[in-house]
Amino acid sequence: MDLRAVVLGGVEGGVDLTPLRNVFKLHDLSPTHPKNKQAFRLALIQLQVSSVKSDNLTRACGLIWEAAKQGAKIVSLPECFNSPYGTKYFPEYAEKIPGDSTQKLSEVAKECSIYVIGGSIPEEDAGKLYNTCAVFGPDGTLLVKHRKLHLFDIDVPGKITFQESETLSPGDSFSTFDTPYCRVGLGICYDIRFAELAQIYAQRGCQLLVYPAAFNLTTGPAHWELLQRGRAVDNQVYVATASPARDDKASYVAWGHSTVVSPWGEVLVKAGTEEMIVYSDIDLKKLAEIRQQIPIFSQKRSDLYAVEAKKP
């Protein structure tokens, strides 16, 4: 795996990147031929999220521009990219969709002619709050809106207690979207712990699963990579996770380490903890080879078991 680091300076997309000193890791910098639909470049933006929403939006859009310039066709932001993560922040930062944050994502997707997976934002709708990911196509159209299905309610004594359900409501639908390259399935953070969701996405033809996510310093070192590799190998799909950068002074400290895993379970690229963009070329020919070599889909014992979706 050829990894190179590039330190960027100057002004890109209206944002002065010089003081940010962003480090961008690239996996396989060989260019992807535009007519080759068997491969495409994926970018994950590990954004340093602040308490100033407008700054988060400006930085996010500038980094999306940079990822597009590096050849990315699909770009994902992290969970809660426009606000701090925490139950006390969700009501304060919540927006309608469409709203200011999603309008800017729509505009930058169209300007760059790429797919933008908008991490997630706190969404307000009909008096309820959701943790929601909006996806925009190369023409700026809203393709799908994924509301986090499984709320992050945990209690690890002496380490972390968190109750998203104090302020958020869960979504109730599956979320996929089609590209010229492959079908993509969406989850948000805690959704990755539920193997059934990934299995249903694989059944529906997804070859890439993207989870904007903000694990923490307890669950991150224990389960972050393990869960991604498990979902990838079980379903023979690519799995990508986009995390916020780590801020040790925040009330909730994100793990970082945005990652892309292959259908073989190989970690193709992994970020550090600071703000950066990581890239990986997604090779669908390799995916097809793995499925042919280990044909688990044709070997499943449907006479004994099944994972069934109860909604379309």
Side-chain angles (χ1 to χ4, degrees):
M1 179 166 53
D2 176 25
L3 291 177
R4 283 178 275 173
V6 181
V7 180
L8 296 180
V11 177
E12 299 289 350
V15 180
D16 184 6
L17 297 178
T18 304
L20 303 183
R21 303 299 291 172
N22 294 306
V23 177
F24 298 87
K25 283 187 178 181
L26 281 74
H27 167 64
D28 186 1
L29 290 175
S30 59
T32 301
H33 194 285
K35 292 184 179 179
N36 181 10
K37 303 302 185 186
Q38 291 296 305
F40 65 93
R41 179 156 295 164
L42 171 69
L44 308 177
I45 294 176
Q46 186 161 289
L47 185 71
Q48 187 74 65
V49 178
S50 76
S51 61
V52 182
K53 183 188 286 188
S54 60
D55 288 352
N56 295 329
L57 292 173
T58 300
R59 291 164 71 90
C61 289
L63 296 175
I64 290 170
W65 266 99
E66 180 55 40
K69 288 186 176 182
Q70 296 294 336
K73 301 302 182 185
I74 301 178
V75 178
S76 181
L77 290 167
E79 182 179 23
C80 276
F81 83 90
N82 73 344
S83 73
Y85 182 79
T87 54
K88 68 179 181 180
Y89 299 111
F90 297 147
E92 177 184 352
Y93 286 80
E95 298 181 16
K96 298 280 189 181
I97 296 177
D100 187 47
S101 295
T102 51
Q103 179 59 33
K104 286 182 169 55
L105 295 185
S106 171
E107 291 169 359
V108 75
K110 184 175 182 179
E111 290 165 356
C112 297
S113 192
I114 60 171
Y115 292 87
V116 172
I117 299 172
S120 79
I121 66 170
E123 178 200 9
E124 190 278 322
D125 184 35
K128 292 185 177 182
L129 300 180
Y130 302 91
N131 189 342
T132 303
C133 175
V135 178
F136 297 91
D139 62 354
T141 300
L142 176 64
L143 299 179
V144 69
K145 187 172 72 170
H146 178 77
R147 289 171 170 169
K148 190 173 188 176
L149 299 175
H150 306 91
L151 297 183
F152 181 54
D153 288 1
I154 70 167
D155 182 12
V156 182
K159 294 186 177 181
I160 183 171
T161 298
F162 201 96
Q163 299 286 320
E164 270 191 330
S165 62
E166 288 179 1
T167 53
L168 298 181
S169 296
D172 62 359
S173 61
F174 303 105
S175 304
T176 66
F177 66 97
D178 290 323
T179 75
Y181 317 103
C182 68
R183 180 168 293 169
V184 182
L186 297 173
I188 298 175
C189 200
Y190 203 55
D191 286 340
I192 199 172
R193 289 187 179 271
F194 299 86
E196 297 86 350
L197 178 61
Q199 291 171 37
I200 288 168
Y201 283 155
Q203 290 172 6
R204 296 186 175 190
C206 295
Q207 295 177 302
L208 168 65
L209 306 183
V210 178
Y211 297 88
F215 274 42
N216 53 70
L217 301 190
T218 297
T219 60
H223 302 145
W224 178 251
E225 183 179 310
L226 174 67
L227 285 165
Q228 295 172 67
R229 296 181 72 186
R231 298 294 87 84
V233 172
D234 283 350
N235 301 287
Q236 296 179 328
V237 294
Y238 285 92
V239 172
T241 52
S243 170
R246 189 179 301 179
D247 178 1
D248 291 320
K249 296 179 181 178
S251 57
Y252 180 95
V253 181
W255 176 238
H257 299 298
S258 301
T259 303
V260 180
V261 178
S262 79
W264 193 255
E266 176 190 9
V267 175
L268 298 178
V269 64
K270 181 189 286 188
T273 60
E274 68 271 31
E275 182 173 274
M276 62 175 61
I277 303 176
V278 291
Y279 301 83
S280 184
D281 286 343
I282 303 301
D283 186 349
L284 300 175
K285 182 179 178 182
K286 180 66 175 176
L287 180 148
E289 290 172 354
I290 291 170
R291 290 185 174 185
Q292 184 176 30
Q293 293 163 1
I294 306 178
I296 58 173
F297 291 103
S298 63
Q299 295 170 332
K300 288 184 182 293
R301 290 292 304 275
S302 58
D303 57 323
L304 295 177
Y305 52 78
V307 174
E308 178 186 5
K310 295 188 176 182
K311 285 196 171 186

